[in-house]
Amino acid sequence: MPNTSAGRVHLMYMLLLADLTHVATYSWSSAVLACLYRALDHGIDYHQNNIGGCMLLLQCWAWEWIKTLSPIIEPLTPEDIATGHCFPLAK
């Protein structure tokens, strides 16, 4: 969950990693989305110089829903898939 602290991790996340056997049971996608919403809310403050949150997630959403922003993606052929020359939307 990136923020504007130049790569530091908040200590509240370290408690979630104390027992690594339970890490897979957490809803990390919900946490990342909540972190992005919070960062976007803080981003509207005119004193804020930069924005945190998962900007790649926001970019993928914008590409999917705002078609004028999205790149032109050629359809994949079966040969592309078989040879591995295809890549996901967010690479």
Side-chain angles (χ1 to χ4, degrees):
M1 277 142 290
N3 59 19
T4 59
S5 67
R8 297 184 193 117
V9 177
H10 197 281
L11 290 176
M12 68 180 181
Y13 299 121
M14 299 308 287
L15 294 174
L16 296 171
L17 300 174
D19 186 6
L20 294 178
T21 59
H22 290 105
V23 170
T25 63
Y26 300 146
S27 178
W28 291 106
S29 57
S30 299
V32 169
L33 189 59
C35 180
L36 175 61
Y37 285 158
R38 185 170 187 260
L40 291 174
D41 182 46
H42 289 185
I44 62 172
D45 183 14
Y46 67 93
H47 294 297
Q48 185 78 19
N49 293 334
N50 49 16
I51 190 167
C54 186
M55 291 295 112
L56 183 61
L57 179 64
L58 182 62
Q59 181 182 6
C60 290
W61 177 87
W63 282 3
E64 185 70 27
W65 292 101
I66 306 172
K67 297 300 182 188
T68 57
L69 296 177
S70 63
I72 298 171
I73 299 174
E74 299 294 328
L76 294 175
T77 63
E79 294 82 25
D80 290 337
I81 296 171
T83 59
H85 289 125
C86 55
F87 57 89
L89 181 61
K91 184 175 181 184

